[in-house]
């Protein structure tokens, strides 16, 4: 018997093929889909959907244009955590930290972190009437604003009790303060009295600071780790001079320490340095867990000496999440993952582990400073041997037709993100570079950076002034910027008469990186 086969017609084949390719279950490669040949939505919400693997791949491809976090030497923010820490964070991303009733153990973990930090900063814990208190924040910017708000409100309450005016509050700080302080003073309507930096002192002079104190001063800010050069301000001397002035004048002015960067450095490298609650006029401290607290971005801490320095009327009590709870934050909802990650770092490393890690960073920073100094091309501006943050701030020794910004641009071509910026108010003409040494910056990586710095200098030396100028023009024309620019006709059509409004302020530039 002969079996006969029919030959399928072209029309039937076309129908089968059409049905096959209309089936959405086909696991086509991302770059074989129609979305790969279209522009990704940018300004309007798209009408249709997109498969998850396609959305992921298109966004991931675009993010490949970002710099490599480990080579970003501008930022103090942590760029490395262990797999176990990352796993904990992912598992707890969906937990809303503020919902203590639903997540009581997360709240307990936050309490443990506050206790550990308070004791690290030598908060008084001997008597129940002197117990310190604190809270987690998104970062030190929120903690700075909360600390400033507490000082202002305490000053206002004290003035009202005496029947005195509560107008025109001021705060004393160095011109080298981070931009978070400019936000705090502007948003909270406080006069910012800034002590200018000098070539001989690149941070706040405590004597000049105390000289500016008067009856309207809500407090003095001291910085433990300047964002410009990494210097620690002399909190002990500031405390002594302020105590003397308070006794002589009857004032009650205290100190807030901005330990955003130094709070998790000094206790492990220079434990005898007195900057914290060991000093009687230090009443509040902020610190960034996501800097040298070795935790990914999104966690900071604010701690007060005791309840006297956090007025009760600033604390809100709510019960609509299922239980009575106190809240002193600028935001409400946030993920619990960063707080949990901070706790992981505390129990994982302990004092010994933190001391080892931070000591290594100090040694690496000293090595970099020594190598740069030996080139004869740079002036080192930062401290060494743990007397400041583990970073290297430096500038070119000799003036020529290229500057620190040109050097930073050439290093970027090799992947290094080394910030060039100008110094604080009164020293704006001073240009400098800064390398922040973080946990994932090894001795070997430091050697490679030195090699590329020298190569960049050689290339700049070989260029003439016209080539340098052309390069600058090109960078200025094509650089990315998130700065809000006021259009030429915007002032004219605005309802605000900026020439007559004494409170109007031009947008403030903010060199340095948080």
């Amino acid at each position: 018997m002969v079996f006969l086969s029919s030959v399928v017609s072209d029309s039937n084949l076309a129908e089968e093929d059409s049905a096959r390719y209309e089936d959405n279950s086909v696991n086509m490669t991302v770059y074989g889909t129609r979305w790969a040949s279209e522009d990704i939505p940018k300004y309007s919400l798209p009408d249709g959907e997109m498969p998850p693997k396609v959305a992921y791949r298109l966004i991931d491809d675009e993010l490949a244009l970002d710099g490599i976090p480990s080579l970003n030497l501008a930022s103090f923010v942590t760029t490395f955590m262990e797999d176990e820490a990352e796993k904990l964070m992912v598992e707890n991303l969906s937990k809303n930290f503020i919902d203590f009733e639903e997540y009581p153990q997360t709240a307990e973990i936050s309490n443990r972190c506050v206790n550990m930090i308070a004791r690290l900063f030598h908060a008084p814990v001997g008597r129940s009437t002197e117990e310190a208190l604190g809270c987690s924040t998104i970062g030190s910017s929120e903690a700075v604003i909360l600390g400033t708000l507490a000082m202002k409100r305490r000053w206002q309450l004290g003035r009202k009790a005496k029947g005195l005016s509560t107008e025109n509050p001021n705060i004393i700080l160095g011109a080298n303060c981070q931009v978070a302080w400019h936000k705090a003073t502007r948003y909270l309507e406080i006069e910012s009295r800034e002590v200018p930096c000098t070539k001989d002192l690149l941070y706040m002079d405590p004597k000049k600071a105390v000289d500016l104190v008067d009856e309207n001063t809500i407090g003095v800010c001291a910085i433990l780790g300047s964002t410009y050069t990494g210097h620690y301000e002399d909190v002990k001397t500031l405390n002594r001079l302020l105590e003397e002035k308070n006794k002589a004048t009857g004032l009650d002015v205290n100190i807030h320490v901005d330990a955003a960067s130094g709070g998790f450095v000094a206790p492990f490298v220079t434990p005898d340095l007195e900057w914290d609650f060991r000093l009687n006029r230090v009443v509040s401290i902020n610190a960034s867990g996501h800097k040298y607290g070795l935790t990914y971005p999104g966690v900071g801490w604010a701690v007060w000496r005791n309840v006297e320095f956090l007025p009760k009327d600033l604390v809100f009590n709510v019960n609509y999440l299922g239980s009575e709870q106190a809240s002193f934050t600028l935001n409400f909802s946030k993920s619990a993952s960063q707080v949990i990650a901070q706790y992981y770092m505390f129990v994982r490393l302990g004092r010994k582990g933190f001391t080892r890690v931070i000591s290594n960073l100090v040694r690496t920073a000293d090595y970099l400073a020594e190598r740069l100094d030996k080139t004869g091309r740079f002036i080192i501006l930062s401290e060494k041997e743990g007397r400041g943050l583990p970073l290297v701030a430096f500038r070119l020794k000799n003036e020529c037709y290229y500057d620190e910004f040109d050097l930073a641009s050439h290093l970027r071509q090799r992947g290094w993100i080394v910030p060039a910026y100008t110094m604080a108010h009164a020293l704006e003409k001073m240009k400098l570079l800064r390398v922040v040494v973080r946990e994932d910056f090894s001795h070997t990586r430091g050697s490679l950076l030195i090699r590329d710095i020298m190569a960049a200098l050689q290339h700049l030396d070989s260029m003439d002034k016209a080539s340098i100028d052309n390069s600058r023009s090109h960078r200025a024309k094509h650089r990315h910027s998130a700065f809000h620019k006021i259009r030429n006709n915007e002032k004219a059509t605005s309802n605000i008469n900026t020439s007559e409004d004494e409170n109007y302020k031009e947008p403030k530039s903010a060199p340095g990186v948080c």
Side-chain angles (χ1 to χ4, degrees), residues 43-58:
Y43 307 112
S44 298
L45 192 67
D47 294 327
E49 302 166 85
M50 183 183 292
K53 68 173 184 178
V54 176
Y56 170 83
R57 177 52 56 196
L58 294 182

Side-chain angles (χ1 to χ4, degrees), residues 86-97 334-338 340:
E86 292 183 350
K87 186 172 185 290
L88 271 175
M89 294 183 74
V90 170
E91 291 172 350
N92 290 279
L93 277 172
S94 61
K95 286 184 179 180
N96 186 4
F97 171 78
K334 65 179 179 181
S335 174
S337 58
Q338 273 78 10
I340 293 170

Side-chain angles (χ1 to χ4, degrees), residues 325-486:
Q325 56 193 62
S327 175
F328 182 46
T329 59
L330 297 181
N331 65 297
F332 199 62
S333 295
K334 65 179 179 181
S335 174
S337 58
Q338 273 78 10
V339 171
I340 293 170
Q342 180 74 88
Y343 185 59
Y344 170 89
M345 294 310 303
F346 287 164
V347 299
R348 166 73 174 90
L349 293 179
R351 283 182 177 269
K352 183 178 290 186
F354 265 96
T355 300
R356 287 179 176 177
V357 171
I358 302 301
S359 295
N360 273 344
L361 303 188
V362 169
R363 283 190 284 269
T364 300
D366 288 350
Y367 164 73
L368 276 176
E370 182 181 357
R371 288 286 305 273
L372 288 169
D373 188 46
K374 285 184 176 179
T375 66
R377 304 290 298 268
F378 300 105
I379 295 174
I380 307 301
L381 302 172
S382 48
E383 290 284 0
K384 299 178 183 178
E385 298 179 350
R387 294 188 298 272
L389 298 178
L391 61 78
V392 184
F394 57 103
R395 62 183 179 90
L396 291 168
K397 180 176 289 187
N398 302 312
E399 290 190 11
C400 56
Y401 49 85
Y402 62 82
D403 62 13
E404 288 79 1
F405 289 88
D406 299 311
L407 178 54
S409 176
H410 275 67
L411 289 173
R412 186 65 185 262
Q413 296 173 18
R414 287 286 294 165
W416 301 105
I417 303 173
V418 178
Y421 51 96
T422 54
M423 196 49 203
H425 177 64
L427 285 179
E428 293 95 341
K429 292 184 178 180
M430 179 185 291
K431 302 172 185 177
L432 61 159
L433 298 141
R434 187 191 66 211
V435 173
V436 176
V437 178
R438 296 189 307 273
E439 185 180 9
D440 56 350
F441 190 90
S442 64
H443 188 281
T444 299
R445 186 171 289 174
S447 298
L448 295 174
L449 174 62
I450 295 294
R451 180 199 66 184
D452 286 346
I453 288 175
M454 297 311 298
L457 286 174
Q458 291 175 9
H459 186 232
L460 288 168
D461 288 337
S462 69
M463 299 173 67
D464 57 25
K465 187 177 185 303
S467 298
I468 296 290
D469 291 340
N470 288 336
S471 179
R472 290 174 179 173
S473 298
H474 180 79
R475 292 201 308 270
K477 183 178 180 181
H478 296 285
R479 69 184 176 187
H480 297 280
S481 175
F483 186 75
H484 175 68
K485 297 179 180 178
I486 299 177

Side-chain angles (χ1 to χ4, degrees), residues 173-178 182 193-197 202-204 223 228 233 423-426 508:
L173 63 169
N176 58 306
C177 64
Q178 211 262 357
H182 296 297
R193 294 186 175 179
E194 298 182 9
V195 178
C197 299
L202 300 175
Y203 49 95
M204 185 178 72
I223 302 173
Y228 290 90
E233 293 181 342
M423 196 49 203
H425 177 64
K508 185 175 181 65

Side-chain angles (χ1 to χ4, degrees), residues 155-361:
W155 173 81
Q156 289 174 325
L157 294 174
R159 299 279 290 179
K160 285 180 180 179
K162 297 177 182 178
L164 300 174
S165 170
T166 58
E167 295 181 354
N168 305 316
N170 68 69
I171 189 170
I172 316 300
L173 63 169
N176 58 306
C177 64
Q178 211 262 357
V179 68
W181 285 98
H182 296 297
K183 292 179 182 179
T185 55
R186 187 173 298 183
Y187 297 168
L188 300 177
E189 297 184 318
I190 300 168
E191 178 192 354
S192 176
R193 294 186 175 179
E194 298 182 9
V195 178
C197 299
T198 67
K199 289 184 178 180
D200 297 324
L201 194 66
L202 300 175
Y203 49 95
M204 185 178 72
D205 183 329
K207 184 180 184 307
K208 292 180 180 178
V210 173
D211 288 343
L212 293 174
V213 170
D214 61 22
E215 64 177 358
N216 290 330
T217 300
I218 67 171
V220 182
C221 164
I223 302 173
L224 193 75
S226 169
T227 193
Y228 290 90
T229 58
H231 285 98
Y232 294 158
E233 293 181 342
D234 190 350
V235 190
K236 187 174 183 179
T237 297
L238 175 65
N239 186 86
R240 176 177 58 79
L241 295 174
L242 192 56
E243 182 71 359
E244 291 173 358
K245 183 158 189 173
N246 283 336
K247 288 180 178 179
T249 61
L251 295 174
D252 182 24
V253 179
N254 296 302
I255 300 169
H256 174 94
V257 178
D258 179 359
S261 297
F264 291 116
V265 175
F268 306 112
V269 180
T270 52
D272 295 331
L273 179 67
E274 295 181 33
W275 61 271
D276 52 19
F277 292 119
R278 284 171 287 186
L279 304 174
N280 66 308
R281 284 291 165 182
V282 173
V283 298
S284 54
I285 299 172
N286 69 273
S288 291
H290 58 222
K291 293 182 181 177
Y292 289 106
L294 308 181
T295 305
Y296 282 149
V299 63
W301 303 94
V303 183
W304 287 267
R305 177 180 286 273
N306 56 51
V307 294
E308 177 188 351
F309 301 103
L310 179 54
K312 291 181 180 180
D313 67 331
L314 294 178
V315 180
F316 292 85
N317 291 290
V318 299
N319 64 3
Y320 43 72
L321 290 178
S323 67
E324 289 284 345
Q325 56 193 62
S327 175
F328 182 46
T329 59
L330 297 181
N331 65 297
F332 199 62
S333 295
K334 65 179 179 181
S335 174
S337 58
Q338 273 78 10
V339 171
I340 293 170
Q342 180 74 88
Y343 185 59
Y344 170 89
M345 294 310 303
F346 287 164
V347 299
R348 166 73 174 90
L349 293 179
R351 283 182 177 269
K352 183 178 290 186
F354 265 96
T355 300
R356 287 179 176 177
V357 171
I358 302 301
S359 295
N360 273 344
L361 303 188

